Amino acid sequence: TVTVTSIAGGTDTVRIRIADTGNGIPAERRAAIFEPFVRGTANNKVEGSGVGLTITKRLVEAMGGSIDFASEDGVGTAFWIDLPIASAEVDI
């Protein structure tokens, strides 16, 4: 199960939280999870190349934000992204 929530983080930030109830990220992979080609699992049944979190981190930081996570083996993983709220109005 995956849940996505967003909450105000004060007057100048918003937090987006993405959590799952999967297997979690093994402790030995957590320190490098945002590095290119590092996958959260060695399970070959799960598709992916290991670049999604690297790209996500770079994009979030380019927007002045930050990304982090917590994971527990057998319980799941929660990622959160903190982004600044734009202060100027934009006409669309």
Side-chain angles (χ1 to χ4, degrees), residues 14-76:
V14 64
R15 174 169 283 187
I16 302 166
R17 183 177 181 274
I18 304 99
D20 68 37
T21 55
N23 295 327
I25 300 169
E28 65 273 7
R29 294 182 182 265
R30 292 178 191 164
I33 199 66
F34 294 108
E35 298 297 321
F37 309 112
V38 173
R39 297 181 61 206
T41 178
N43 180 350
N44 291 329
K45 296 178 184 177
V46 178
E47 294 184 28
S49 61
V51 296
L53 287 173
T54 302
I55 293 168
T56 301
K57 182 175 180 175
R58 290 179 183 173
L59 289 170
V60 167
E61 289 176 348
M63 291 182 275
S66 63
I67 183 170
D68 207 351
F69 74 100
S71 187
E72 187 175 341
D73 291 340
V75 177

